[in-house]
Amino acid sequence: EDKKWTEERESDESCCERGVELLKWLATRPEKEIAVVTHSSFLRHLFRAFGFSLDQKDMSELHRKSGNAEVRSVTLALHRGFYPEGKWTEDDVFIPSHPSFRKGKWAIAH
């Protein structure tokens, strides 16, 4: 069951917050490349939450409306304040608190 689903249209602010939560989750993933499939409206809200310090041409490209079935490539460059709950090791490695985020040597033994 989708706990976020309602019959009412989601507010712009809520959509942006949900997008940022998605990016935080993506930041914890061990994969180097991840495909995200979504609606253009969600991407528009997400991308408009970022990029205001970019060159005008780059900002226009990031903030433009996506085309039907368009593929866009985005590189995430994260800073420590953006990650979800967790801790950093002395070797500057981030370990997420939530067990579903842990992969490789940080995985919880079953």
Side-chain angles (χ1 to χ4, degrees), residues 12-69:
D12 291 349
E13 183 177 288
S14 174
C15 191
C16 287
E17 287 173 7
R18 196 163 47 96
V20 169
E21 289 304 311
L22 169 69
L23 292 178
K24 286 181 177 181
W25 180 79
L26 289 173
T28 67
R29 302 295 307 161
E31 296 86 2
K32 299 272 187 227
E33 296 179 2
I34 299 174
V36 175
V37 179
T38 189
H39 294 275
S40 64
S41 180
F42 182 72
L43 288 178
R44 186 175 66 247
H45 283 85
L46 174 60
F47 291 153
R48 287 186 178 173
F50 299 96
F52 292 101
S53 63
L54 296 174
D55 173 78
Q56 182 62 42
K57 181 181 174 193
D58 292 335
M59 184 172 68
S60 295
E61 179 65 17
L62 182 65
H63 292 178
R64 71 175 173 73
K65 183 177 179 180
S66 298
N68 187 36

Side-chain angles (χ1 to χ4, degrees), residues 73-90:
S73 179
V74 177
T75 300
L76 296 179
L78 304 172
H79 56 81
R80 285 182 177 227
F82 190 77
Y83 283 84
E85 290 184 32
K87 65 180 181 176
W88 289 89
T89 67
E90 290 179 11

Side-chain angles (χ1 to χ4, degrees), residues 4-18:
K4 298 269 186 185
W5 172 255
T6 68
E7 292 292 330
E8 298 174 17
R9 184 173 180 91
E10 183 176 19
S11 70
D12 291 349
E13 183 177 288
S14 174
C15 191
C16 287
E17 287 173 7
R18 196 163 47 96

